[in-house]
Amino acid sequence: MPSRCSLQWLVALVLGLVAVPAFAASPRLTRITPCGIQRGAEHVVTFSGSNLGDAQEIFFYHPGFEVTAVEGSGNSCKATIKVSPDCRLGEHVAQVRTATGISDFRVFYVGNLPAVDEKEPNTDFAAPQAIDMNVTVEGVVQSEDVDYYVVEAKKGERISAEVEGMRLGITMFDPYVAILDEKRFELAASDDTPLLGQDCAASVVAPEDGKYYVEVRESAYGGNGNCRYRLHVGNFPRPLAVYPAGGQLGQEVEVKFLGDPTGEKLTKVKLPAENELDFGLFASDEFGIAPSATPFRLFEHGNAFEQEPNNGIAEATVVELPLAFNGILETEGDVDCFKFAAKKGQVFEVECYGRRIRSAIDPVMNLYQADGKSIAGNDDSRGPDSYIRFNVPADGEYVVRVTDHLGRGGSDFVYRIEFQPVKPDLALGIPRVERYGQYRQTIYVAQGNKVATIMNATRTNFGGDLVVEGGELPQGVTMQAEAMPSNMNVMPVLFEAAADAPLSGKLVDFRAKHADPNQNISGGFFNRADFVISAPGQSRYSGRDVNKLAVAVVEKLPFTLEIVEPKVPIVRNGVMQLKVVAHRAEDFKAAINVQFPFRPPGLGTTSSVNIPEGQSEVLYPLNANGGAQVKEWKVFALGSANVGGNAWVSSQLATLRIAEPYVVAELQRSSCEQGQDLQVYCKLNVNTPFEGTAKAELIGLPNKVTSVPLEFNKDTKELTFPVTTDASSPAGKHKSVLCRVTIPENGEEIVSTAGTVEIQIDKPLPAPAKPAPKPEPAAAAAKPEQPKPAAPAAKPLSRLEKLRLAAEERKKAKAAGQDGG
């Protein structure tokens, strides 16, 4: 429980309530009211947020709901929902499909009890709100508010109270619940619980006939209008743990519910044949059923159980792999050890489940050889839980040891150890564009249009190319995606809707698989929503994971985008201006923001460009570095415009080829004094022959230094750039002079940096002192002048030759000065 003091620095970022832009084409869902509904009944539920007035459908991620009517208005909509009598209890997920988009998803709860509303005033213990047993109260805690409810119970009757507060995902609300007798003596109280997180539950057996009071408040006496809760009060069981906390898929297992005030209860449960996200068991008896589940692991193998005493390695319980090891640290200081046999070369992911199954334990796990020699240990690799990758060093017996980090223990300190083989795993997701929000985590494509997204893939314990399988998309929607190379974890995926595609949507089991079918590796889409977090620690207090991708067809938009595919490649160390064209409806003039989301390795660009109002095209600047991956890539442009709200479309998947440079230049360093001319000698290496005449030029020259472009063709071997300096050109070494080449091909240009060179500009040496004049010798008879042979064309001096010449001139100048002295 956060203390009142700690709450002063705990900044609640309540994502459902963060202000977002009012985009008609981008519906947002922030709250579902009421926060929960009873199964086996019909309800009118309000979905609130922004731009929900054109709502058409409600998506549910689990069966058991039938929507008979949807009516939208402004920023909300109302849905009439029938809930089946066998609908799964507990947390559910819903989101709204409108004619122009798909909202965020939010959680709501399905309960077994009828609901009543809180009625103020009920803040005085002497004047509580009377309620029947076995109801759910929908209430709210205002600042410093305390709500009291009173029920009547007989001696020996169980009274249970459970609060859903933080789990509703509305705001930073840490509830507290207590059960009191008529003398205001506290019989049971709860703030945070391992099972329910920041939410709470209390349960007692009535010691005598009479009235019993249930108190609900914020744990630090805070509160506000957003601190809503669902209080379940009744005779239902409310255990705090289940043992074992997992079982074999498809099998019937016997489990024991722990922590209920009436004692432990054994029951048999038939487990599903396939894994289910967030699977749990609901405790039930003749008096009712628990409002929320106790998490339960579904595993491929059966169970083994600790046998006390097993505190030491010599007393370790003997078990066999691949069974899961199950135990309870029942007392303070309790330690459990299990002995098992393994063979050299086996590799296991050893997972200790404690907090992940909502147990009170903070496990510490160690592995030993049978003689007690330590192999490995771990505390918090899985949050508070432990994990070790165990490479078996030799055939033999080994021991795994479990204890609590603080040496605690109790009847609900349940844990479970699974030795899982190292298996490949694949998960898909869409990168977030909001740090904690869900914006653009869905796919909605306009009729007759396209929209693309980046799909990322997390490969675990394997490598190789991936192929997107997609799934069963809405009618009229098709998908296009290239294989994801083994060295990449992102790929562009394009969705296209036919012009006559009906407005509809689906929750799609969107999947990808290994390109080699013999590998038999596949994985699906995963999305995590954060509803309530805190800063500065960024703890996640409320959130939800889903494993379906929401896809929908929305109303036609007045523009499309197209990339004009270049007829030339962009080469390493090259640049390109990629043309993006907007095809507009005649009356649509709004500006269009264009992004380039997918960037192949080594390709860079700006975050976005704009097609101005009334115009139809823009050039998108691209650049490729020297390590850009040479390949034909599929890329897309993503555009958004205000169409009564922000609407998104994309271009086709266009081909962009990255190639090796056609020409590489080797340039010699050169130098001169300020105000003099110099020459830069360039040796050309043509790697890819081309037709016509290309251009080379020096760019990045210092101030008041000029050169001229030179032409060359595929057969040119050398170029010499004349460079002119000024008396005020900056002196020094200039290392960022580039040789840029422009090569024509297919009516377009390939532009790249072919090489770099250093130019040194020196300040002139001071003029030497003039020597005294000497008498002139007698003039000799003039000889007829012989014609001189024509001098050969001067070859540019190398850098070394120039340095030697400069040194020689300085030597002569120094000697002349000494003679003059």
Side-chain angles (χ1 to χ4, degrees):
M1 178 193 76
S3 67
R4 180 187 292 268
C5 179
S6 67
L7 285 172
Q8 293 177 354
W9 59 259
L10 206 61
V11 181
L13 300 179
V14 184
L15 303 173
L17 302 178
V18 173
V20 295
F23 298 149
S26 300
R28 307 304 298 264
L29 175 62
T30 58
R31 183 174 299 176
I32 300 174
T33 309
C35 303
I37 52 182
Q38 184 185 12
R39 67 179 176 182
E42 184 176 88
H43 306 268
V44 176
V45 178
T46 300
F47 296 81
S48 304
S50 59
N51 309 304
L52 298 172
D54 56 346
Q56 296 192 341
E57 184 179 6
I58 309 298
F59 288 155
F60 296 101
Y61 283 73
H62 285 87
F65 304 95
E66 179 187 355
V67 179
T68 59
V70 178
E71 181 180 348
S73 176
N75 291 323
S76 66
C77 69
K78 294 190 177 192
T80 303
I81 302 171
K82 290 182 179 179
V83 187
S84 67
D86 60 350
C87 182
R88 179 179 61 81
L89 294 176
E91 186 179 79
H92 284 266
V93 180
Q95 63 192 136
V96 181
R97 179 184 68 80
T98 73
T100 53
I102 302 173
S103 77
D104 316 63
F105 65 79
R106 307 294 297 185
V107 296
F108 70 102
Y109 280 74
V110 171
N112 192 53
L113 306 176
V116 297
D117 291 330
E118 175 199 6
K119 295 180 181 178
E120 292 283 2
N122 63 342
T123 57
D124 187 351
F125 180 83
Q129 178 180 342
I131 58 173
D132 294 331
M133 192 72 84
N134 297 308
V135 298
T136 296
V137 181
E138 296 269 359
V140 60
V141 171
Q142 300 287 352
S143 179
E144 299 186 358
D145 190 10
V146 180
D147 293 339
Y148 289 101
Y149 304 92
V150 62
V151 296
E152 293 191 2
K154 300 290 186 181
K155 180 179 180 179
E157 188 176 355
R158 178 174 53 203
I159 307 169
S160 296
E162 179 179 330
V163 178
E164 293 155 2
M166 188 77 79
R167 287 176 289 172
L168 299 179
I170 299 174
T171 192
M172 180 66 77
F173 174 40
D174 183 12
Y176 169 92
V177 68
I179 300 173
L180 305 94
D181 63 14
E182 293 183 71
K183 298 178 182 179
R184 209 167 184 169
F185 181 78
E186 192 176 88
L187 303 178
S190 173
D191 179 5
D192 303 339
T193 57
L195 177 64
L196 305 176
Q198 274 64 45
D199 285 346
C200 47
S203 189
V204 299
V205 174
E208 59 186 9
D209 294 357
K211 293 181 178 181
Y212 293 87
Y213 297 77
V214 179
E215 173 187 339
V216 177
R217 59 176 171 82
E218 202 276 331
S219 62
Y221 291 92
N224 57 60
N226 290 317
C227 292
R228 297 182 177 273
Y229 64 84
R230 282 168 50 84
L231 168 66
H232 308 280
V233 180
N235 306 120
F236 54 82
R238 182 58 281 173
L240 301 177
V242 64
Y243 181 75
Q248 187 173 6
L249 286 161
Q251 300 298 308
E252 184 178 71
V253 296
E254 185 175 68
V255 300
K256 185 193 308 181
F257 286 102
L258 308 172
D260 188 85
T262 62
E264 300 174 354
K265 181 183 178 183
L266 285 171
T267 187
K268 291 185 177 180
V269 181
K270 176 68 175 180
L271 300 179
E274 295 183 356
N275 256 314
E276 295 182 10
L277 187 66
D278 298 327
F279 182 75
L281 300 181
F282 288 85
S284 64
D285 59 19
E286 65 272 27
F287 300 108
I289 185 170
S292 54
T294 304
F296 194 83
R297 289 280 304 161
L298 298 174
F299 191 48
E300 296 177 352
H301 307 288
N303 289 318
F305 301 92
E306 66 156 325
Q307 299 293 327
E308 294 284 359
N310 65 340
N311 282 34
I313 291 177
E315 305 168 307
T317 300
V318 178
V319 290
E320 293 182 358
L321 295 178
L323 300 178
F325 310 162
N326 297 270
I328 306 173
L329 299 179
E330 295 182 292
T331 60
E332 288 191 8
D334 194 6
V335 176
D336 288 345
C337 296
F338 298 86
K339 181 183 291 185
F340 61 95
K343 294 186 177 297
K344 181 178 180 178
Q346 288 182 299
V347 183
F348 297 101
E349 308 270 17
V350 187
E351 298 275 3
C352 184
Y353 291 91
R355 292 294 176 86
R356 286 177 287 177
I357 53 173
R358 308 282 180 84
S359 170
I361 187 176
D362 179 2
V364 178
M365 180 172 63
N366 295 86
L367 275 170
Y368 301 92
Q369 294 180 358
D371 61 4
K373 183 178 179 181
S374 177
I375 297 174
N378 185 258
D379 184 2
D380 294 339
S381 281
R382 297 288 195 258
D385 285 351
S386 303
Y387 159 82
I388 297 171
R389 176 171 283 202
F390 179 34
N391 293 277
V392 181
D395 292 0
E397 292 186 327
Y398 297 88
V399 174
V400 61
R401 177 183 184 270
V402 178
T403 188
D404 181 76
H405 178 73
L406 297 177
R408 301 169 304 150
S411 62
D412 59 343
F413 278 63
V414 175
Y415 64 88
R416 176 179 174 85
I417 301 173
E418 294 178 2
F419 279 68
Q420 303 169 1
V422 177
K423 290 183 177 180
D425 184 73
L426 173 63
L428 304 177
I430 297 174
R432 292 192 182 193
V433 295
E434 288 181 341
R435 185 174 183 184
Y436 300 110
Q438 301 174 50
Y439 190 47
R440 286 169 50 197
Q441 292 289 307
T442 59
I443 300 297
Y444 43 94
V445 52
Q447 294 168 317
N449 220 316
K450 306 176 184 70
V451 72
T453 188
I454 298 296
M455 192 67 66
N456 62 20
T458 302
R459 301 175 181 89
T460 304
N461 299 323
F462 80 99
D465 293 359
L466 299 177
V467 176
V468 175
E469 295 181 300
E472 188 178 343
L473 299 172
Q475 182 181 344
V477 177
T478 57
M479 185 202 73
Q480 179 187 352
E482 295 287 296
M484 181 188 292
S486 60
N487 67 323
M488 297 191 63
N489 58 7
V490 294
M491 71 175 81
V493 180
L494 179 78
F495 298 84
E496 184 171 4
D500 60 351
L503 300 184
S504 63
K506 282 186 176 180
L507 295 177
V508 177
D509 184 16
F510 194 86
R511 302 187 67 79
K513 64 181 180 181
H514 199 289
D516 179 0
N518 295 322
Q519 297 293 325
N520 195 29
I521 300 172
S522 66
F525 179 80
F526 176 86
N527 183 21
R528 167 165 289 183
D530 300 319
F531 299 143
V532 181
I533 65 160
S534 67
Q538 306 301 329
S539 297
R540 181 178 186 246
Y541 285 96
S542 175
R544 177 70 189 195
D545 302 335
V546 298
N547 57 4
K548 297 288 190 298
L549 174 63
V551 182
V553 179
V554 298
E555 291 177 345
K556 185 177 180 180
L557 292 171
F559 71 104
T560 62
L561 282 186
E562 178 189 4
I563 289 177
V564 179
E565 287 198 357
K567 300 176 183 178
V568 297
I570 181 172
V571 299
R572 286 178 166 179
N573 294 317
V575 295
M576 173 182 284
Q577 297 291 327
L578 187 68
K579 182 182 285 188
V580 180
V581 177
H583 302 283
R584 299 174 179 267
E586 186 175 351
D587 57 347
F588 180 68
K589 307 294 184 185
I592 302 171
N593 179 261
V594 180
Q595 301 175 25
F596 196 80
F598 176 67
R599 301 170 189 182
L603 191 76
T605 186
T606 186
S607 59
S608 68
V609 295
N610 288 308
I611 300 178
E613 182 177 348
Q615 297 187 25
S616 60
E617 63 182 51
V618 69
L619 295 178
Y620 214 114
L622 307 179
N623 62 82
N625 65 31
Q629 187 170 347
V630 174
K631 185 182 174 181
E632 283 193 352
W633 297 92
K634 292 295 185 181
V635 298
F636 68 96
L638 182 67
S640 60
N642 186 357
V643 186
N646 214 33
W648 296 88
V649 306
S650 76
S651 70
Q652 82 282 22
L653 289 184
T655 299
L656 177 68
R657 182 162 65 96
I658 299 178
E660 294 284 1
Y662 281 28
V663 174
V664 176
E666 298 178 31
L667 298 104
Q668 288 188 359
R669 291 182 295 173
S670 187
S671 66
C672 71
E673 293 182 349
Q674 291 170 321
Q676 294 182 352
D677 296 339
L678 60 87
Q679 293 179 323
V680 175
Y681 174 71
C682 172
K683 179 182 176 183
L684 293 179
N685 299 301
V686 178
N687 298 324
T688 302
F690 56 91
E691 298 299 323
T693 301
K695 180 178 70 172
E697 56 187 323
L698 296 180
I699 61 173
L701 291 166
N703 188 35
K704 295 188 177 181
V705 178
T706 60
S707 183
V708 295
L710 302 177
E711 293 184 345
F712 66 97
N713 57 38
K714 63 182 180 181
D715 299 318
T716 304
K717 303 299 181 185
E718 297 178 351
L719 292 173
T720 300
F721 290 96
V723 179
T724 301
T725 71
D726 184 85
S728 59
S729 296
K733 294 181 179 180
H734 304 282
K735 300 180 179 181
S736 301
V737 179
L738 310 177
C739 177
R740 182 172 65 189
V741 297
T742 304
I743 301 171
E745 187 174 271
N746 298 325
E748 299 181 4
E749 293 181 340
I750 302 170
V751 181
S752 66
T753 299
T756 62
V757 68
E758 178 184 312
I759 291 176
Q760 180 173 326
I761 301 176
D762 298 321
K763 293 183 178 181
L765 292 172
K770 292 183 179 181
K774 295 181 179 180
E776 296 184 3
K783 294 183 179 180
E785 186 175 330
Q786 298 294 324
K788 296 180 180 179
K795 180 180 178 179
L797 297 178
S798 69
R799 170 68 174 166
L800 183 58
E801 290 170 334
K802 290 181 178 181
L803 291 172
R804 287 174 177 168
L805 182 61
E808 201 58 41
E809 290 176 350
R810 284 193 292 270
K811 184 177 179 181
K812 291 179 180 179
K814 183 177 180 181
Q818 291 174 349
D819 291 344

